[in-house]
Amino acid sequence: MAEIKCVGILTSGGDAPGMNAAIRAVTRSAIYGGLKVKGIYRGYRGLITDEIQEFHTQNVSNIIQAGGTILKTARCKEFTTPEGRQLAYDNLKRHEIDALVVIGGDGSLTGARIFANEFNFPIIGLPGTIDNDLYGTDSTIGYDTALNTIMECVDKIRDTATSHERLFFIEVMGRDAGFLALNGAIASGAEAAIIPEISTEVDQLAELIQNGFRKSKNSSIVLVAESPVTGGAMGLAERVKNEYPGYDVRVSILGHLQRGGSPTACDRILASRMGAAAIDALLEEQRNVMIGIRNDEIVYVPFSKAIKNDKPINRELLDTLRRLSI
Amino acid sequence: MAEIKCVGILTSGGDAPGMNAAIRAVTRSAIYGGLKVKGIYRGYRGLITDEIQEFHTQNVSNIIQAGGTILKTARCKEFTTPEGRQLAYDNLKRHEIDALVVIGGDGSLTGARIFANEFNFPIIGLPGTIDNDLYGTDSTIGYDTALNTIMECVDKIRDTATSHERLFFIEVMGRDAGFLALNGAIASGAEAAIIPEISTEVDQLAELIQNGFRKSKNSSIVLVAESPVTGGAMGLAERVKNEYPGYDVRVSILGHLQRGGSPTACDRILASRMGAAAIDALLEEQRNVMIGIRNDEIVYVPFSKAIKNDKPINRELLDTLRRLSI
Amino acid sequence: MAEIKCVGILTSGGDAPGMNAAIRAVTRSAIYGGLKVKGIYRGYRGLITDEIQEFHTQNVSNIIQAGGTILKTARCKEFTTPEGRQLAYDNLKRHEIDALVVIGGDGSLTGARIFANEFNFPIIGLPGTIDNDLYGTDSTIGYDTALNTIMECVDKIRDTATSHERLFFIEVMGRDAGFLALNGAIASGAEAAIIPEISTEVDQLAELIQNGFRKSKNSSIVLVAESPVTGGAMGLAERVKNEYPGYDVRVSILGHLQRGGSPTACDRILASRMGAAAIDALLEEQRNVMIGIRNDEIVYVPFSKAIKNDKPINRELLDTLRRLSI
Amino acid sequence: MAEIKCVGILTSGGDAPGMNAAIRAVTRSAIYGGLKVKGIYRGYRGLITDEIQEFHTQNVSNIIQAGGTILKTARCKEFTTPEGRQLAYDNLKRHEIDALVVIGGDGSLTGARIFANEFNFPIIGLPGTIDNDLYGTDSTIGYDTALNTIMECVDKIRDTATSHERLFFIEVMGRDAGFLALNGAIASGAEAAIIPEISTEVDQLAELIQNGFRKSKNSSIVLVAESPVTGGAMGLAERVKNEYPGYDVRVSILGHLQRGGSPTACDRILASRMGAAAIDALLEEQRNVMIGIRNDEIVYVPFSKAIKNDKPINRELLDTLRRLSI
């Protein structure tokens, strides 16, 4: 296996808080280990359009606290074609980049996997997504920040809900995974979470409305994952308004602000450790693995495992939410 | 004029951060001045349904930092009828309440004005609304907090907008007044504000899109007041998508979270000063005035003036926004 | 073993964010399980002075987001005497309290252990301390919030450090444990952490100052645990000023604000899960154990183990900090 | 008077949040008005050492939300000498800079005044200091942010003070001016403020301790300006401990973190308006004035007036604080 002398780094897919901390950690760990680093802009698109620049330790100064990604990100259709990937490979060769670190979610790692196999090119993935839906890691970069952002928003809405004695449906991200909705509900003291993994929401809602609301409490908040499975906050609110016309029902869709903001301590530390581990993995001749964290220890998860498997919801949490919302 | 021995206090209309600081200030200033204080729950409704309780200094301990209103708030149709107001008056008499302090916005002060005239009852109003749309005061309680909440949300969305190079339309509150949208745009470095007071938005937008975006900048944010005059963020986004199909346009509606949260220093100080001034005003035999702040000094604004007049937008701000968004 | 029908709950020692979330979770889980709950004020002192009150689900409404502890806390010398503990036991009997949940740190659990043995009284401990220094649990209630508070403070100080090109020593809590200093340093992108567990600080500092500062960087931040072992921020700053008179050295001692603030999502969820688990443990006839979390699962840790053992620092983190501060 | 074609900009003295927003506003307004802009690094020192660089609109992109100053700041002894100032003047001429915008506090504007007179050089000052101690302007850039930072810190400390029932002395900045201490006390619901302008603190403290504490309240917080006149928080705490040995007295010194952080909406808007006004003033051939804000309108304040006069404390605020702390 050829020695690695220069590492390229890119962020891809939806941005997540902590991506900059990961870029910083990859860059400095690589330089600390004697490697060159090149930053690739706009994800896979920059590989194809040749937006590549050498990175020194100063390039990543004072970015650990910044949301978004200084490398920017984009979706790229061309990279799904063999011709596009060939262009990407040619550019990598021309820049003498021997290995890639790709920070992104499910789709980004799928692209990485195909490219790595096609050109026998060493790639390490870092799980960068607020949804926490990658298998093999306890947490993904950005998840803790998004969870705290959601909680802070619900704290604010609760001020109004309590003052006006209303029933609020708040929609949060998580197309395929209810981690944000379920944990956000526990963290914010909400009454229920409607998530794609569990299909009993209708009964739960009826129960919530008949027993809980206007008995011991005078306001209620329900978190809803944005998934088509749940119907979304708007759909649920409509149903409740029809079935229980007496309630003062409101909807709030948190939307894009869940992606932004300065990362939490947890996400910065996770990104820092994972970024350093990515360089370790390359130097240990690991390839085509995603860096994960399990029981507070760094693990290597083969792309095939990380992408294809569904990460299960912890049922204890559902039970806790139910007991605490009485 | 009869001596005032007992003051009732209520919050009415939409809740606003700082209402609790105002409740605390009214309560403590009254007790400091030798008066009794009674808290009335759920606005005018509590007057009619007799939800009234004596307040001591401890009742308002540790609430200065809390969003919402511990007195709760509600809309009340009955208070718009003479019969409802008679019930309210009877309850006030029975509780030996000699004067009222009403914290709320335009609608709440309109109700106060009618009631005060009808029963010759002393009422002092405090401007409590995030919209800052009351005439005769430089600022209303809650406005500065809402402005900061909007700014923090836009800061987060900008992380994503910049990372993805998108054009964002963000809808903020302000049905009749563009203060939040215009000042929010300056504070967050947005490219434009679409407000009900100025009807040139279409041209502005076209100009913004043709000149600004993708020239010196790679993302743009436009703040839109939720008013029907502006069309709202969704309406504008649709129009832009149709006319300029190349742009990656997104919409975010901030919604109810703009009302909540711990009040800023500015709002807590304003509410504290205004609450103390409300008691001063009563002791000085002022009636049917709203407490205002002008040039950092407390002023008394007759209800008729505060409610009926439109507060003008400072055109210098529009000009500043335009110059700084190049 | 006698059936448990009524649970007492108290907080003891230094307050920690999330204690209220734990009080809420214990209270509601107990009521959900058919038990009575009694709140004991001011820790063990309230047991002796009989400050005990029944708690219903409303007593813990809207407290999940509040810092501090609604049950208050105090140190209590009398509880260290057999006479004091006898008084405490008599009060428990009189109130028909069959079991206790104690939320606190090392000292509080030591008291719990003695009392439990002396009177054969069922006690469950919850680890409530910002220091994260209890063995057998990956995290303690309050640690994540304190870590984020420290990080946010350092982010602010970094603005000034960078603008003025200074060397800052920032002192954080952690008398016996460097978790806050070390993880706080990684999270805030600091250059070094001086912690009681590792005694090589002088060399590190010399190296930091000679190589790092004024070479690739123009400011530096060092986090120092407040321990006598480290000398504290003030002591280190003095030494550096003497040895390297050219530097613009400043000190900041974060102090008590590290204990306060609204808990993070992580701490609220942890406290909620642990509070619910405390009731489960009692119903499962567990006694004299601390609830811990290991690998995201609830575990029971015997008091003797939790108190007596030192929790080790993860050396990988030290290495990561060093590589990322180049 | 010679036409102005190129404006230099620098920040000087202690950094203040909003300085970057001001740099952005000056830069963009100048470019909008057809002028060139040059950024000068490290305050007056950069003038002498020739650290000067042309600024385009992109140089100030995405900085409105950043604390500190991208131009950095420093103290500069050389600039207090005629030789130093001559060097500075020569560099300005060489860079074809026709006018300066100086952002800073009292000392920085004093330097500006001397230089402007000496070389008949057009200078506009912007009041950038968290202390709010410049005469002729209702507020200075950075003051509102520092006030909110203080308030948020006191909110956190109050959690602990209330939980432990303690008396806290919290030291805030403001060597010569009590604005931060007094307004911070009102905003955070503290019991008293000890400020340099009013020398009755001892009596106030005795009264506070004898009447207020342990009567209706179980904790107290006193804000102390760091001035030698007040003795600082440490000095006052010592005195109280000696005179009232029963109290659990604690001290917290907020220190440098008061200078940092992302600016509030108020400071960003103020800085944006003032930055734009600085360019207007230059184009209107104003010289040697500080931009101020009075009654929400931009005013020009001659340097001599801004520097030499003491800004009075509003006595109504002292009275409000006293009434609300019962």
Side-chain angles (χ1 to χ4, degrees), chain B:
Chain B
M1 206 178 266
E3 199 196 344
I4 290 170
K5 292 181 188 159
C6 175
V7 180
I9 177 167
L10 62 82
T11 50
S12 168
D15 65 316
M19 281 186 162
N20 284 327
I23 293 168
R24 172 182 178 268
V26 169
T27 300
R28 295 206 166 159
S29 299
I31 292 170
Y32 186 92
L35 307 181
K36 271 196 173 184
V37 184
K38 299 204 171 168
I40 299 150
Y41 286 85
R42 294 178 181 75
Y44 295 122
R45 199 167 84 193
L47 269 187
I48 295 174
T49 57
D50 194 12
E51 297 180 84
I52 300 173
Q53 178 195 329
E54 187 167 350
F55 263 35
H56 304 282
T57 97
Q58 298 92 317
N59 288 87
V60 295
S61 279
N62 224 2
I63 66 166
I64 194 173
Q65 78 279 22
T69 158
I70 60 163
L71 286 175
K72 301 194 186 302
T73 181
R75 305 199 185 279
C76 176
K77 274 192 190 163
E78 267 194 286
F79 196 73
T80 63
T81 68
E83 297 75 25
R85 289 194 296 271
Q86 183 66 50
L87 277 172
Y89 181 73
D90 295 345
N91 277 323
L92 283 171
K93 285 289 109 182
R94 203 153 45 75
H95 282 279
E96 301 185 327
I97 295 173
D98 310 310
L100 270 183
V101 177
V102 170
I103 310 169
D106 194 78
S108 308
L109 298 189
T110 303
R113 188 189 177 204
I114 293 168
F115 186 81
N117 289 336
E118 211 164 45
F119 296 97
N120 190 27
F121 197 85
I123 307 191
I124 303 292
L126 295 191
T129 164
I130 64 168
D131 290 343
N132 195 27
D133 59 352
L134 285 162
Y135 186 86
T137 186
D138 289 344
S139 191
T140 56
I141 297 167
Y143 169 65
D144 186 64
T145 306
L147 188 58
N148 277 282
T149 300
I150 288 167
M151 180 190 79
E152 287 163 17
C153 288
V154 179
D155 280 358
K156 286 182 179 156
I157 293 172
R158 194 201 296 114
D159 287 340
T160 286
T162 310
S163 298
H164 286 272
E165 303 176 297
R166 283 170 176 163
L167 172 58
F168 260 94
F169 290 93
I170 302 177
E171 187 172 302
V172 302
M173 287 192 170
R175 200 170 302 273
D176 309 307
F179 295 99
L180 287 172
L182 177 53
N183 283 286
I186 294 176
S188 59
E191 271 65 30
I194 310 297
I195 59 177
E197 289 91 341
I198 313 286
S199 54
T200 53
E201 77 271 16
V202 184
D203 316 346
Q204 275 189 357
L205 266 182
E207 191 192 341
L208 167 80
I209 286 163
Q210 285 168 344
N211 300 336
F213 194 66
R214 307 238 166 141
K215 200 201 241 165
S216 62
K217 302 182 175 201
N218 48 30
S219 67
S220 284
I221 288 176
V222 179
L223 261 65
V224 186
E226 65 169 351
S227 161
V229 180
T230 62
M234 209 66 97
L236 284 170
E238 281 312 309
R239 215 193 303 176
V240 168
K241 274 186 210 165
N242 290 334
E243 295 180 24
Y244 305 89
Y247 293 97
D248 191 357
V249 180
R250 300 293 158 113
V251 170
S252 188
I253 296 170
L254 296 189
H256 289 88
L257 64 89
Q258 294 169 79
R259 291 199 176 286
S262 183
T264 57
C266 176
D267 272 334
R268 295 191 198 178
I269 294 168
L270 184 67
S272 297
R273 292 175 69 183
M274 285 183 162
I279 298 302
D280 290 341
L282 280 175
L283 296 178
E284 290 168 18
E285 306 205 343
Q286 292 285 339
R287 273 112 184 79
N288 308 339
V289 295
M290 181 187 84
I291 305 295
I293 190 123
R294 294 297 297 265
N295 309 337
D296 202 40
E297 279 179 26
I298 293 292
V299 293
Y300 302 143
V301 190
F303 282 159
S304 54
K305 232 173 140 187
I307 298 163
K308 285 213 177 142
N309 290 289
D310 280 343
K311 195 167 169 177
I313 280 277
N314 184 345
R315 300 247 161 187
E316 177 218 320
L317 294 174
L318 274 169
D319 183 50
T320 300
L321 177 58
R322 210 164 294 135
R323 290 159 75 186
L324 302 194
S325 65
I326 61 169

Side-chain angles (χ1 to χ4, degrees), chain C residues 13-15 42 45 66-70 72-75 149 152-153 155-157 159-166 168 218 250-257 259-262, chain D residues 13-15 42 45 66-70 72-75 149 152-153 155-157 159-166 168 218 250-257 259-262:
Chain C
D15 64 315
R42 294 176 181 75
R45 197 166 86 192
T69 157
I70 60 163
K72 303 195 185 300
T73 180
R75 306 200 183 278
T149 299
E152 287 164 18
C153 288
D155 279 359
K156 285 181 180 156
I157 293 172
D159 287 340
T160 285
T162 309
S163 297
H164 286 270
E165 303 177 295
R166 285 172 174 160
F168 260 93
N218 48 29
R250 300 293 158 112
V251 169
S252 188
I253 296 170
L254 296 188
H256 289 88
L257 65 88
R259 290 199 176 286
S262 182
Chain D
D15 64 317
R42 294 177 181 76
R45 199 167 83 193
T69 157
I70 61 164
K72 303 195 186 299
T73 180
R75 306 200 183 279
T149 299
E152 286 163 18
C153 288
D155 279 358
K156 286 182 178 155
I157 293 172
D159 286 341
T160 285
T162 309
S163 298
H164 286 271
E165 303 176 295
R166 284 171 174 161
F168 260 94
N218 49 30
R250 300 293 159 112
V251 169
S252 188
I253 296 170
L254 296 188
H256 289 88
L257 64 88
R259 291 200 176 284
S262 182

Side-chain angles (χ1 to χ4, degrees), chain A:
Chain A
M1 205 178 266
E3 198 194 347
I4 290 171
K5 292 183 188 159
C6 175
V7 179
I9 176 167
L10 62 83
T11 50
S12 168
D15 64 316
M19 281 185 161
N20 283 327
I23 293 167
R24 172 180 177 268
V26 169
T27 300
R28 294 206 169 161
S29 299
I31 293 170
Y32 186 93
L35 307 181
K36 270 197 175 184
V37 184
K38 299 205 172 167
I40 298 149
Y41 287 86
R42 294 179 180 76
Y44 296 123
R45 199 167 83 194
L47 269 187
I48 295 174
T49 56
D50 194 12
E51 298 180 84
I52 300 174
Q53 177 195 327
E54 186 166 352
F55 263 35
H56 305 281
T57 99
Q58 298 92 318
N59 288 86
V60 295
S61 279
N62 224 0
I63 67 165
I64 193 173
Q65 79 277 22
T69 158
I70 61 163
L71 285 174
K72 303 194 185 301
T73 180
R75 306 198 183 280
C76 177
K77 274 193 191 162
E78 267 194 286
F79 196 73
T80 62
T81 67
E83 296 76 23
R85 290 195 294 272
Q86 183 65 50
L87 276 172
Y89 181 74
D90 295 345
N91 277 323
L92 284 170
K93 285 290 108 183
R94 203 153 44 77
H95 282 278
E96 300 185 328
I97 296 172
D98 311 308
L100 269 184
V101 177
V102 170
I103 311 170
D106 194 78
S108 308
L109 299 190
T110 303
R113 188 188 176 205
I114 293 168
F115 186 82
N117 288 337
E118 213 164 47
F119 296 97
N120 190 25
F121 197 86
I123 306 191
I124 303 292
L126 296 190
T129 164
I130 64 167
D131 290 343
N132 195 27
D133 59 351
L134 285 161
Y135 186 86
T137 185
D138 290 343
S139 190
T140 56
I141 297 168
Y143 169 65
D144 186 64
T145 306
L147 189 57
N148 277 282
T149 299
I150 289 168
M151 180 190 78
E152 286 163 18
C153 289
V154 179
D155 279 358
K156 286 183 178 153
I157 293 172
R158 194 203 294 116
D159 286 340
T160 286
T162 309
S163 298
H164 285 271
E165 304 177 295
R166 283 170 176 162
L167 172 58
F168 260 94
F169 290 93
I170 302 176
E171 186 172 302
V172 302
M173 287 190 170
R175 201 170 302 272
D176 308 306
F179 294 99
L180 287 172
L182 177 53
N183 283 285
I186 294 176
S188 58
E191 273 64 29
I194 310 296
I195 58 176
E197 289 91 340
I198 314 285
S199 54
T200 54
E201 78 272 15
V202 183
D203 317 346
Q204 275 190 357
L205 266 183
E207 191 192 340
L208 166 81
I209 286 164
Q210 285 168 345
N211 299 337
F213 194 65
R214 306 240 165 140
K215 200 201 242 168
S216 62
K217 303 182 174 201
N218 49 30
S219 67
S220 285
I221 288 175
V222 178
L223 261 65
V224 186
E226 66 168 352
S227 163
V229 180
T230 63
M234 209 65 98
L236 285 169
E238 281 311 310
R239 215 194 302 177
V240 168
K241 273 186 209 166
N242 290 335
E243 295 180 24
Y244 304 89
Y247 292 98
D248 191 359
V249 180
R250 299 294 158 112
V251 169
S252 189
I253 296 170
L254 296 189
H256 290 88
L257 64 90
Q258 294 168 80
R259 291 200 176 284
S262 182
T264 58
C266 175
D267 272 334
R268 295 191 199 177
I269 294 168
L270 184 67
S272 296
R273 292 175 70 183
M274 286 182 161
I279 298 302
D280 291 340
L282 281 175
L283 297 178
E284 290 168 17
E285 306 205 343
Q286 291 285 339
R287 274 113 185 78
N288 308 340
V289 295
M290 180 188 83
I291 304 295
I293 191 123
R294 294 297 297 263
N295 310 338
D296 202 40
E297 278 178 28
I298 293 292
V299 293
Y300 301 144
V301 190
F303 281 158
S304 55
K305 231 174 140 186
I307 296 163
K308 284 213 178 144
N309 289 288
D310 280 344
K311 195 167 168 177
I313 280 276
N314 183 345
R315 298 247 162 188
E316 175 218 321
L317 294 174
L318 273 171
D319 183 50
T320 299
L321 177 58
R322 210 165 292 137
R323 289 159 75 186
L324 301 193
S325 66
I326 61 169

Side-chain angles (χ1 to χ4, degrees), chain C residues 2 36 56 74 105 118 151 171 191 209 213-214 229 261 265 267:
Chain C
K36 269 195 175 185
H56 304 282
E118 211 163 45
M151 178 190 80
E171 185 173 301
E191 272 65 29
I209 285 163
F213 194 64
R214 306 239 167 141
V229 179
D267 273 332

